[in-house]
Amino acid sequence: MAVCIAVIAKQNYPLYIRSVPTQNELKFHYTVHTSLDVVEEKISAVGKSLGDQRELYLGLLYPTEDYKVYGYVTNSKVKFVIVVDSSNTSLRDNEIRSMFRKLHNSFTDVMCNPFHNPGDPIQSKTFDGIVSGMMVQTG
Amino acid sequence: MECQEEKPIIYTMENKPIVTCAGDQGLFTSLYTSLAQQLPREPMEWRRTYGRAPKMIHLEANFVQFKEELLPKEGNKALLTFPFLHIYWTDCCDTEAYKSSVKEDMMRWQNSLRAHGSADWVIIVVEANDTKKKNKTNILPRSSIVDKIRSDFCNKQNDRCVVLSDPLKDSSRSQESWNSLLLKLRTLLLMSFTKNLGRFEDDMRTLREKRTQPGWSFCEYFMVQEELAFVFEMLQQFEDALVQYDELDALFTQYVLNFGAGDTANWLGSFCAPVRSWSGLLLRRPIDMEKRDGIQRGEASLLDLRSYLFSRQCTLLIFLQRPWEVTQRALELLHNCVQELHLLEVPVLEGALDCWVFLSCLEVLHRIEGCCDQAQLAANCSHTVGLWAYATDKLKSLGELCGLVSEKGPTSEDLNRTVDLLAGLGDERPETINSLQSPYKKLKEALSSLEAFERHYLELSHAAMEMYRAISRLRSARLVGKSLAEFYMRKGDPERAETFLQEALKSYVSEGWSLPVTHTRKQVAECQKLLGRTEDYLQTSALLAGDVNLTMEERKHFCQEILNFAGKSADHSHKLTLSMGVFAQLTRLQFHPAAASVHSGAALQVELTLQCLMPISVRIQEVAASIHFDVDHGGTHGRSTGVQRQTNPGTVEFHQGNPSVGPPSSSTAGPSLELDEIQDRSPSDNSLNSTGLICKNAHLFVRRHDNSSLPDTPNCVSPPSVVMKEGAQMLKMQDVTLKPGNNSIIFTAPSGQPGTYTLRQLCATVGQVQFVLPHIYPSVQYEVYSQEPQLTVEPLSEPLLAGLPQTVKFTLLTGHYNVKKGVALQLSNTDTMPILPSTTCTARISNPAAGVLSIQSSEKVTSISLPPTPPYHTLEFQLEVLCIIPSGSERPANERLTNGEVRHRPRSYSHPDTPMTAIDQRMSIDCPWSIYSTLLALTFYIPFKAKHSLLCAGNRKYIQVCVQNVSDMNFMLAGVKLTEKQHVSLELQSLNTKTQQLLCNKHSMFCLWEVRWKDDLPSCLQCVFSANFAPLNQDVSAFKPFHYQFQLERVTTLYSVRAEILPPAGEQHCRSGLLCGLEVCITRLTEPAEGEMADEKTDTDGLRSTKLMYEVADSSSNWAVCGKSSGMVSMPVTANATHKVQIEVMPLFAGHLPFPKIQVLKYLPHTASVPIQPDPDSCVENDSLSLLDKALDDQGDTASIRSRGSVHSVGSGDQQQKGVAMPRLEPFSPGQVFNHSHAQQVLVLPATDDHIMEVNAT
């Protein structure tokens, strides 16, 4: 499962970022932040060719030695990033996709909350629970 | 593969399918050149098995001499050396020769082929014309040789023998035979491929299926499938060749994964051996035979296998012109290998993998550079940059490992490690031995010395950064930069590090990534400390001290850094200025009083709420806020008259995000627009000239737009902007201790001069350090005003009733004016509203003190002496006033008030909100503080409405007065009286019994008097009704008079009308439906009076007579008037002159019917001299209304009678146009005609004859 899950606002600041607590949180922040480069590249590349028929799932953004970083962009340009351990070979593309879809659904629920101010960091417990379910269970 | 001589072929990779040639070698040699040239000239379609798409291929062949050894032995799977076709060449045309030698040779050839199971052969018979001619006589025809060969060898396959005619001649026949030969060869070759490759693939698949069996070896299988790949490559089918390698790759990967999952294959053991060599990929050779041999022997390590596999894939991809796939696959491979070694738990020397990755990255990049030009490379940075960055990363970790990233240089332990690592690289490969820039040399050099390492590392870092920038992956570039900065820091070069760190920090801050911000900022702080940049360092420290991402220990450390500096002895006068926002935030500002607007000299407190971000309490020597003062020019006058200006909010909340990180929501959303409405009014009449909207905080938007750096970045605090203004007014507070969290500081604000005070800057001083908030935003200001005295007069209770004493409240706002003893207000008296003297008149001053008021009235002026009142107090007192109800219509001449103003006549008018009649009373007050009089208006309401009417009975007259109470109060009325002013002889006898009467609200009271006279009743009476009234339950002294004047005219009764209904002849009573007579008797009662003369007319016979018109009309449809209903009578103007008129009427119903209404009107004949044209229809007696209507447009018709029908429209436009000459009708005044039979009834019996009742049923 994932080792880090992040939701990034349209303006590229993090709305939510959580990583497996045993790992270096800071490193994931850097990784996710850097991955925005590729997200932007992919969005602009797609925007030119296909117009609005865009696939939300961006696929593997970039592999590193230790992690694979996957991206997903909603129509409102909110980005989801899932970082998976490279040694975790059991995860197929389809599973990553479904993780993103689940994340997106939960995110939509958060946005539907009338007490949530869009643009604020996500503090929903339900969302947190969904994310926890997708994260590597440690200890 | 045993044949050593075949090997060089493989090295060159210019393999061609092998075709053996037997028979006449000399003949073949002579034809070889053209054969080798022409064979690949035309493509052939290759139909494939297993549904693979057919391909067009150009066939080439390597023609070798037939040898027995070339034929593959049983079980040899080698495909590369497999002869796909065997050709036997002969030009024998002699039967003898054929029989003696050639046939035998062929036999042998055939047998050896058959022995090896090869069925791919062809016999080519070359025939030349010259040979034919030479042996013309004794030879058999050529065909017979061919036939012989065919019958001997190709018993069923005639196509296995081909004739080539005149091959060396340039004739069409020769060409034709060449073409058919080539076609045949190609077809046979392809057939052979299909057959042999198919067989091979089947074998291969069988082998693969056995992979679960214990003895199966991946390496063996690898060799088999690679053979297939070689053949495809040989056939230039690179795509197919690549597929073979990809399949092998996938198969291997799967095994490794299964291993990870616990499913171990035996053969994997060799791959789990400790890594001893990490020489990197080798991509310069088409086939790395060393590694291939290793694989074949089952001795290859995982890295060897992966390297070999990748080198083959790389070669094929480059053949396929897909270099960018190489880089992509390379990165995947490198990551994957690292993972796989980890997964297989292969022991690796620390750093060995880094070496391998580094070398491999560079090797791939070199390989790509070798096959692409610069432009292509530049355009495809995005594909190569990953490798560059990866190499940089690895070199850095190698450097760290080998002690090359430090100031001191490597220790002996580091050196040992370096030596071990270099040993694993082995010797440099022969391919690159002459190249100066080989990866091998680079690595060796980099690890050899500090300087060389730095050079190589910087080179790589900069290359990676530039590429990232070129493809605008700025975040990645900054991350590399940051890594470079860390390197510089380790090297003790903070100066160079800082720029990279700042750049990265800026990016994180602007995008609001708090954790990277904190981390980078910490690095920046370290850097700034090393550089000795105190101001910047302290600024950064302040930010870090307030950073919640850090531990309390760290925060305290940074806070202490600031305090330590602040506590240093002041050796220089210049104080260090830092931005306030990082230290403490102004969250709230409150004014006491909340209106933030005080009169000059009043106390005003400003409460600041500062949220201190420091982790510990900080003692501040001084907190100061500078104030900007604007003199309020218009204010002194504006207050007294104008509307209250917009008040400042008493509490200002400051919304700021966390300063250490770019506040996500607020920074992106920006400040909200603050818009205000402005109205430009004309000073003279207060009419609107223009209106508009202004943006109060436009400067913020403008600034944000062109300045990308956030205000909290340290370098943004430029000293000039934060210098506190000298000499400006300040709010100061000494010795404040700010605790972490919210602190409240209360200042007393100056309020001396009137004007607007704006809080501009805030400054907290801690020893040598000043924290300055350069702008307080949103702007906070308070107002000090100077107010003019203001006097208002308002009713104590609404509404004010006229005629009764009413209390009026005077309110004086003293403003800046000090009411001293003896100061008095001068009220101009008016007759209609006297001020009632009161003995107990006190004034209330806003503070509970009370003063005594003395009122002195003179004829014109009432003077009110005010008690002494300090400025900005409210003085209140009450006065009783009485508004006299205007009784009549008299209008006194204009008077002037004492102050010279024209006295305003109290004018009564009806107010739409109330049924009461309103009177406006104006007051003029002279105040000592102003040269102008204050004009005030009070509205009073008259509580009563009076009506009068004249009633008469024959000659007797009565006057009725109706008084209606329209107010909401209940009154007592007493002393009701009616007097006549002019006629003394007249007596008005009251018929009212009660002396006092209750008049409830909204009720009416009627009073009646009989008029009695002695001699003559005057035609005009001037009456005054008067009564005293008081609110209910008040004593007698409270009664106030109420007067009502009215005039009655034409009071005398002139005529009496008496009607009588006569039953039909012989009847006792009237019956319905029968005509009866109506006799109207009009009698003149009085002698003509003076005023009546105008109406009279002298007849031709000299008698004075008046023309009257009578009219009988029954509005209630009781009667039908038959015949004429109206007519004219000429009455002599003498008393008792009588005129009788007979009219026929018919009762329509039975019962007591009221008499038909009889009306008598004055007829005024036209005065003009023009005689009216007599008209046949114009009879006065005409009573038909329809006729009147019809005659509307007929002038002549209407000339005389018109007026009757249009009594009510007299004076209307229509009549006016026709001139005054028209005769007119005029009603008498009430009381002038007395109708005796008014309301009289007559009994009407039902009709006698029939008692038919009509019943209608529907």
Side-chain angles (χ1 to χ4, degrees):
Chain A
M1 302 299 263
V3 288
C4 175
I5 289 177
V7 181
I8 297 139
K10 186 187 175 194
Q11 296 87 355
N12 288 339
Y13 61 87
L15 290 175
Y16 181 93
I17 180 157
R18 204 169 126 205
S19 51
V20 171
T22 50
Q23 317 237 354
N24 188 353
E25 196 185 355
L26 180 66
K27 186 177 163 188
F28 285 121
H29 278 249
Y30 280 124
T31 307
V32 172
H33 182 251
T34 314
S35 73
L36 292 177
D37 270 342
V38 191
V39 171
E40 282 178 356
E41 208 171 280
K42 292 211 175 194
I43 294 173
S44 63
V46 165
K48 277 171 209 156
S49 57
L50 275 169
D52 54 351
Q53 286 199 327
R54 189 163 61 84
E55 186 105 76
L56 301 179
Y57 178 58
L58 298 176
L60 181 66
L61 297 180
Y62 72 95
T64 66
E65 204 172 287
D66 308 313
Y67 305 109
K68 287 187 179 122
V69 186
Y70 294 92
Y72 183 95
V73 177
T74 70
N75 286 320
S76 52
K77 299 279 185 291
V78 173
K79 295 125 189 150
F80 299 136
V81 172
I82 292 181
V83 183
V84 173
D85 207 312
S86 279
S87 60
N88 192 340
T89 47
S90 59
L91 276 178
R92 304 269 168 215
D93 212 41
N94 261 343
E95 284 152 272
I96 303 282
R97 268 174 202 268
S98 76
M99 277 165 81
F100 276 125
R101 225 167 289 132
K102 225 161 111 186
L103 205 60
H104 194 173
N105 284 341
S106 186
F107 175 75
T108 313
D109 288 346
V110 172
M111 288 299 127
C112 289
N113 177 0
F115 298 104
H116 179 82
N117 183 15
D120 282 358
I122 296 170
Q123 278 157 344
S124 154
K125 277 182 187 166
T126 321
F127 188 79
D128 216 42
I130 295 280
V131 169
S132 296
M134 287 191 253
M135 300 277 271
V136 171
Q137 305 300 314
T138 48
Chain B
M1 293 298 289
E2 308 109 293
C3 302
Q4 286 299 304
E5 54 193 273
E6 245 74 50
K7 264 191 179 173
I9 308 170
I10 297 169
Y11 274 128
T12 57
M13 252 347 263
E14 278 161 0
N15 267 338
K16 289 167 190 169
I18 292 169
V19 176
T20 64
C21 300
D24 192 339
Q25 287 301 315
L27 176 68
F28 166 69
T29 315
S30 68
L31 295 173
Y32 169 76
T33 325
S34 44
L35 186 66
Q37 270 176 7
Q38 291 191 54
L39 188 62
R41 197 164 284 169
E42 278 177 40
M44 276 296 281
E45 193 188 60
W46 186 19
R47 295 208 176 79
R48 319 273 306 272
T49 51
Y50 297 109
R52 284 174 281 193
K55 285 192 168 169
M56 299 300 284
I57 59 174
H58 293 264
L59 285 166
E60 280 184 279
N62 186 18
F63 296 94
V64 297
Q65 195 179 352
F66 176 78
K67 282 175 194 159
E68 185 96 37
E69 304 91 78
L70 283 177
L71 292 172
K73 295 195 179 68
E74 198 63 40
N76 190 347
K77 301 281 184 208
L79 264 184
L80 270 188
T81 53
F82 185 84
F84 285 96
L85 190 61
H86 307 275
I87 308 174
Y88 193 92
W89 297 87
T90 180
D91 59 349
C92 175
C93 50
D94 186 352
T95 325
E96 294 303 313
Y98 170 72
K99 274 186 182 158
S100 61
S101 61
V102 177
K103 190 181 174 184
E104 239 171 273
D105 196 34
M106 276 188 188
M107 264 322 209
R108 235 179 300 127
W109 175 71
Q110 280 274 302
N111 284 337
S112 65
L113 286 182
R114 208 171 296 128
H116 289 93
S118 177
D120 307 302
W121 52 265
V122 68
I123 299 166
I124 300 172
V125 180
V126 180
E127 100 179 345
N129 280 343
D130 46 339
T131 48
K132 204 163 128 190
K133 282 172 194 160
K134 203 164 64 186
N135 308 312
K136 205 161 201 174
T137 49
N138 57 346
I139 54 161
L140 290 166
R142 155 205 98 235
S143 55
S144 64
I145 292 269
V146 177
D147 288 344
K148 258 190 173 9
I149 294 172
R150 278 187 182 150
S151 68
D152 287 342
F153 298 101
C154 345
N155 40 357
K156 275 167 195 164
Q157 303 156 289
N158 279 343
D159 58 337
R160 292 291 168 131
C161 183
V162 187
V163 179
L164 178 65
S165 315
D166 296 332
L168 297 175
K169 290 228 169 119
D170 192 15
S171 68
S172 62
R173 188 159 166 267
S174 146
Q175 198 56 48
E176 211 173 288
S177 86
W178 263 117
N179 283 348
S180 67
L181 171 74
L182 289 169
L183 188 65
K184 175 65 66 184
L185 281 180
R186 285 178 197 135
T187 314
L188 288 172
L189 260 176
L190 279 182
M191 274 170 61
S192 170
F193 287 158
T194 312
K195 191 169 71 192
N196 291 301
L197 289 183
R199 196 188 300 143
F200 187 86
E201 280 180 42
D202 288 344
D203 291 347
M204 187 182 84
R205 255 177 231 112
T206 317
L207 185 59
R208 190 162 63 197
E209 291 316 309
K210 287 180 188 160
R211 67 181 181 275
T212 45
Q213 292 175 6
W216 194 82
S217 158
F218 176 77
C219 295
E220 276 175 35
Y221 176 73
F222 184 92
M223 287 302 146
V224 174
Q225 188 156 8
E226 192 185 27
E227 202 69 27
L228 188 63
F230 282 151
V231 174
F232 282 123
E233 191 182 346
M234 181 175 76
L235 296 175
Q236 315 260 305
Q237 299 307 305
F238 302 116
E239 199 76 55
D240 290 282
L242 188 61
V243 167
Q244 306 311 315
Y245 284 109
D246 288 349
E247 278 181 16
L248 284 169
D249 195 343
L251 187 63
F252 186 74
T253 306
Q254 195 53 52
Y255 269 104
V256 176
L257 293 184
N258 290 351
F259 181 90
D263 179 12
T264 324
N266 284 335
W267 56 267
L268 263 174
S270 70
F271 294 104
C272 295
V275 177
R276 278 188 211 89
S277 161
W278 38 88
S279 52
L281 293 175
L282 182 62
L283 303 176
R284 276 155 225 257
R285 300 181 193 167
I287 297 174
D288 186 348
M289 285 316 288
E290 275 173 61
K291 293 225 168 66
R292 190 171 189 273
D293 290 345
I295 294 164
Q296 200 164 22
R297 288 195 299 272
E299 288 166 1
S301 68
L302 183 126
L303 287 185
D304 289 337
L305 177 78
R306 285 290 183 194
S307 302
Y308 177 73
L309 204 52
F310 184 74
S311 75
R312 293 297 300 139
Q313 287 167 328
C314 170
T315 309
L316 293 170
L317 283 170
I318 287 173
F319 278 138
L320 286 167
Q321 310 271 309
R322 278 145 61 180
W324 312 123
E325 205 176 321
V326 175
T327 57
Q328 190 201 325
R329 280 172 176 238
L331 206 55
E332 267 171 48
L333 167 89
L334 298 177
H335 291 148
N336 191 31
C337 282
V338 175
Q339 284 299 324
E340 281 184 343
L341 286 174
H342 184 68
L343 196 64
L344 294 175
E345 292 160 358
V346 176
V348 188
L349 181 71
E350 195 188 359
L353 273 183
D354 294 340
C355 288
W356 185 77
V357 170
F358 176 78
L359 290 172
S360 302
C361 283
L362 291 193
E363 178 71 14
V364 174
L365 291 170
H366 276 242
R367 184 74 186 89
I368 296 302
E369 277 165 24
C371 67
C372 296
D373 56 31
Q374 278 301 315
Q376 265 181 301
L377 277 174
N380 288 282
C381 272
S382 57
H383 296 103
T384 53
V385 71
L387 287 170
W388 282 105
Y390 198 18
T392 313
D393 215 28
K394 287 296 163 191
L395 186 63
K396 191 187 174 200
S397 62
L398 273 176
E400 278 165 10
L401 190 69
C402 300
L404 294 165
V405 189
S406 66
E407 284 175 273
K408 294 167 206 140
T411 60
S412 61
E413 202 182 323
D414 293 334
L415 288 173
N416 283 338
R417 211 176 284 136
T418 313
V419 170
D420 288 346
L421 284 178
L422 290 177
L425 295 180
D427 293 324
E428 179 151 30
R429 267 79 159 246
E431 288 89 347
T432 57
I433 208 137
N434 296 318
S435 145
L436 290 170
Q437 285 284 306
S438 72
Y440 179 87
K441 286 203 189 73
K442 267 190 190 167
L443 181 60
K444 244 186 164 164
E445 198 181 303
L447 293 183
S448 65
S449 75
L450 282 174
E451 292 73 29
F453 175 79
E454 185 175 344
R455 199 181 67 238
H456 284 290
Y457 176 64
L458 292 185
E459 190 188 322
L460 280 174
S461 293
H462 285 293
M465 268 197 287
E466 261 164 48
M467 282 185 202
Y468 274 136
R469 288 223 179 82
I471 56 170
S472 63
R473 288 194 189 178
L474 296 177
R475 295 181 191 88
S476 311
R478 286 188 195 115
L479 197 63
V480 176
K482 226 184 116 273
S483 166
L484 192 58
E486 278 159 24
F487 169 76
Y488 280 129
M489 288 301 286
R490 295 279 286 276
K491 295 283 284 178
D493 190 355
E495 210 160 336
R496 289 201 210 177
E498 206 211 349
T499 43
F500 290 112
L501 288 175
Q502 288 289 12
E503 198 192 343
L505 179 61
K506 211 161 87 186
S507 133
Y508 299 138
V509 166
S510 73
E511 292 193 332
W513 287 73
S514 66
L515 227 51
V517 164
T518 308
H519 178 242
T520 312
R521 191 170 275 151
K522 236 162 77 183
Q523 293 174 319
V524 169
E526 193 188 336
C527 191
Q528 285 167 336
K529 192 177 186 182
L530 286 175
L531 286 171
R533 299 234 297 265
T534 321
E535 190 173 335
D536 290 344
Y537 174 62
L538 291 182
Q539 184 76 61
T540 312
S541 295
L543 280 167
L544 286 167
D547 195 331
V548 287
N549 284 327
L550 290 176
T551 62
M552 199 42 110
E553 285 308 306
E554 284 172 300
R555 289 177 61 185
K556 278 181 184 163
H557 163 75
F558 285 110
C559 186
Q560 203 55 52
E561 289 282 298
I562 302 169
L563 296 180
N564 287 349
F565 178 84
K568 274 187 206 161
S569 58
D571 49 343
H572 49 91
S573 57
H574 171 68
K575 284 190 176 181
L576 197 65
T577 306
L578 301 178
S579 161
M580 165 84 84
V582 302
F583 170 74
Q585 284 181 349
L586 182 60
T587 53
R588 206 154 66 130
L589 197 146
Q590 242 179 320
F591 284 107
H592 306 287
S597 176
V598 292
H599 58 78
S600 60
L604 179 75
Q605 286 189 324
V606 185
E607 183 182 345
L608 294 183
T609 305
L610 276 178
Q611 193 194 2
C612 182
L613 300 170
M614 293 297 110
I616 51 175
S617 294
V618 179
R619 211 177 130 262
I620 310 273
Q621 269 97 51
E622 187 185 72
V623 179
S626 71
I627 294 173
H628 176 81
F629 171 65
D630 278 317
V631 179
D632 198 354
H633 291 291
T636 44
H637 294 300
R639 274 269 157 183
S640 58
T641 54
V643 240
Q644 278 263 315
R645 277 186 287 172
Q646 190 206 344
T647 51
N648 301 311
T651 305
V652 184
E653 302 278 352
F654 298 90
H655 298 286
Q656 278 168 2
N658 184 358
S660 61
V661 185
S665 44
S666 61
S667 79
T668 45
S672 56
L673 279 172
E674 281 185 29
L675 297 176
D676 252 1
E677 183 190 8
I678 49 161
Q679 291 187 341
D680 177 22
R681 288 181 181 280
S682 151
S684 54
D685 57 349
N686 206 34
S687 64
L688 196 62
N689 279 346
S690 70
T691 183
L693 281 176
I694 52 161
C695 176
K696 277 164 71 180
N697 53 354
H699 59 285
L700 276 182
F701 290 94
V702 176
R703 194 184 64 192
R704 286 218 174 223
H705 218 258
D706 53 22
N707 188 1
S708 58
S709 68
L710 284 171
D712 53 308
T713 48
N715 31 355
C716 205
V717 186
S718 47
S721 68
V722 294
V723 161
M724 299 297 285
K725 269 189 198 165
E726 291 288 323
Q729 300 202 59
M730 292 272 225
L731 301 177
K732 278 190 186 175
M733 182 70 121
Q734 310 283 334
D735 267 338
V736 183
T737 302
L738 289 185
K739 293 193 184 91
N742 281 342
N743 294 271
S744 170
I745 304 167
I746 298 174
F747 295 102
T748 302
S751 58
Q753 265 185 288
T756 308
Y757 293 75
T758 310
L759 268 66
R760 283 282 166 87
Q761 294 181 329
L762 198 62
C763 174
T765 313
V766 189
Q768 287 302 295
V769 182
Q770 266 188 330
F771 292 100
V772 174
L773 182 64
H775 303 286
I776 295 179
Y777 183 81
S779 69
V780 179
Q781 54 188 36
Y782 64 91
E783 233 175 285
V784 174
Y785 59 84
S786 159
Q787 195 187 21
E788 286 294 314
Q790 207 173 344
L791 180 67
T792 50
V793 178
E794 54 194 357
L796 194 65
S797 62
E798 289 280 4
L800 287 173
L801 291 178
L804 286 173
Q806 299 284 301
T807 311
V808 172
K809 191 171 81 173
F810 282 66
T811 309
L812 173 64
L813 301 169
T814 53
H816 64 76
Y817 184 78
N818 190 1
V819 181
K820 295 192 188 77
K821 197 169 164 61
V823 169
L825 300 175
Q826 310 287 332
L827 270 69
S828 309
N829 292 348
T830 54
D831 298 336
T832 49
M833 194 186 71
I835 288 156
L836 301 178
S838 162
T839 46
T840 57
C841 201
T842 54
R844 208 163 55 79
I845 303 170
S846 53
N847 284 350
V852 181
L853 210 65
S854 70
I855 299 171
Q856 289 171 333
S857 276
S858 69
E859 193 186 342
K860 290 280 187 187
V861 165
T862 303
S863 167
I864 303 168
S865 300
L866 301 172
T869 314
Y872 298 104
H873 276 68
T874 310
L875 186 76
E876 277 180 14
F877 57 90
Q878 291 170 4
L879 280 186
E880 282 207 322
V881 294
L882 177 71
C883 175
I884 293 166
I885 302 173
S887 53
S889 51
E890 50 194 309
R891 299 254 183 270
N894 270 357
E895 292 173 46
R896 294 242 155 200
L897 292 175
T898 46
N899 55 18
E901 285 201 29
V902 175
R903 178 189 289 271
H904 183 85
R905 283 289 105 222
R907 198 165 45 81
S908 58
Y909 56 91
S910 59
H911 201 271
D913 297 339
T914 165
M916 294 185 276
T917 310
I919 309 167
D920 275 348
Q921 284 287 357
R922 300 247 174 147
M923 273 165 103
S924 168
I925 305 172
D926 288 327
C927 307
W929 53 81
S930 168
I931 56 163
Y932 300 105
S933 298
T934 309
L935 277 178
L936 295 164
L938 290 171
T939 304
F940 290 86
Y941 296 92
I942 303 173
F944 299 113
K945 264 187 186 163
K947 279 184 292 189
H948 66 273
S949 52
L950 180 70
L951 310 170
C952 54
N955 274 335
R956 289 196 289 178
K957 299 286 169 185
Y958 300 90
I959 297 171
Q960 190 193 47
V961 176
C962 169
V963 180
Q964 192 191 0
N965 179 3
V966 285
S967 76
D968 293 327
M969 285 175 75
N970 298 333
F971 290 102
M972 285 302 287
L973 250 69
V976 177
K977 210 165 70 181
L978 187 73
T979 48
E980 213 286 330
K981 287 193 213 163
Q982 292 171 334
H983 306 276
V984 190
S985 62
L986 210 67
E987 191 191 336
L988 294 169
Q989 189 181 351
S990 171
L991 300 175
N992 308 305
T993 50
K994 288 182 183 168
T995 50
Q996 282 204 346
Q997 201 162 359
L998 174 68
L999 185 51
C1000 292
N1001 58 339
K1002 307 290 186 264
H1003 283 233
S1004 299
M1005 186 186 86
F1006 292 89
C1007 306
L1008 195 67
W1009 286 266
E1010 186 180 356
V1011 186
R1012 295 190 179 183
W1013 62 92
K1014 283 173 186 155
D1015 308 329
D1016 248 347
L1017 181 65
S1019 66
C1020 179
L1021 297 175
Q1022 297 280 346
C1023 299
V1024 177
F1025 170 82
S1026 55
N1028 288 324
F1029 70 99
L1032 198 59
N1033 302 331
Q1034 295 234 340
D1035 61 311
V1036 189
S1037 64
F1039 277 95
K1040 299 287 169 195
F1042 171 70
H1043 296 286
Y1044 173 58
Q1045 279 193 1
F1046 57 93
Q1047 188 173 337
L1048 291 169
E1049 279 172 355
R1050 281 177 265 184
V1051 183
T1052 326
T1053 312
L1054 291 179
Y1055 300 97
S1056 76
V1057 176
R1058 211 179 283 271
E1060 206 174 336
I1061 291 190
L1062 307 169
E1067 292 276 351
Q1068 197 74 24
H1069 291 286
C1070 298
R1071 279 184 189 278
S1072 68
L1074 286 180
L1075 282 178
C1076 28
L1078 173 70
E1079 194 183 69
V1080 179
C1081 176
I1082 303 170
T1083 313
R1084 171 91 194 188
L1085 293 180
T1086 54
E1087 289 296 319
E1090 302 294 308
E1092 228 177 326
M1093 293 305 283
D1095 299 338
E1096 289 154 16
K1097 182 150 175 82
T1098 313
D1099 273 359
T1100 43
D1101 53 0
L1103 272 170
R1104 294 197 305 164
S1105 65
T1106 311
K1107 280 195 170 169
L1108 294 177
M1109 176 161 164
Y1110 66 90
E1111 187 181 20
V1112 179
D1114 180 44
S1115 54
S1116 54
S1117 316
N1118 288 333
W1119 300 92
V1121 183
C1122 308
K1124 58 174 192 176
S1125 67
S1126 60
M1128 249 194 325
V1129 289
S1130 194
M1131 290 293 292
V1133 190
T1134 49
N1136 298 322
T1138 306
H1139 206 288
K1140 279 190 181 169
V1141 181
Q1142 300 281 343
I1143 296 162
E1144 285 196 316
V1145 294
M1146 184 167 71
L1148 299 175
F1149 300 97
H1152 287 281
L1153 297 185
F1155 274 36
K1157 198 177 168 194
I1158 299 153
Q1159 219 181 345
V1160 178
L1161 299 160
K1162 237 183 271 178
Y1163 181 80
L1164 303 176
H1166 61 90
T1167 49
S1169 56
V1170 185
I1172 301 159
Q1173 193 71 32
D1175 194 281
D1177 289 338
S1178 73
C1179 55
V1180 182
E1181 288 76 21
N1182 196 336
D1183 62 346
S1184 165
L1185 275 168
S1186 63
L1187 199 123
L1188 283 171
D1189 288 340
K1190 181 208 81 180
L1192 258 176
D1193 50 352
D1194 190 345
Q1195 288 221 9
D1197 187 11
T1198 48
S1200 58
I1201 195 65
R1202 185 66 230 153
S1203 55
R1204 193 194 69 103
S1206 52
V1207 172
H1208 307 291
S1209 62
V1210 169
S1212 76
D1214 192 34
Q1215 288 283 332
Q1216 291 288 327
Q1217 278 176 349
K1218 286 173 185 164
V1220 285
M1222 287 296 157
R1224 289 185 293 126
L1225 283 177
E1226 198 176 81
F1228 283 102
S1229 302
Q1232 279 190 305
V1233 175
F1234 181 71
N1235 193 345
H1236 285 278
S1237 51
H1238 181 70
Q1240 205 172 324
Q1241 290 183 335
V1242 66
L1243 180 66
V1244 177
L1245 296 177
T1248 45
D1249 44 4
D1250 44 48
H1251 296 90
I1252 299 165
M1253 181 181 283
E1254 275 186 39
V1255 177
N1256 282 339
T1258 52

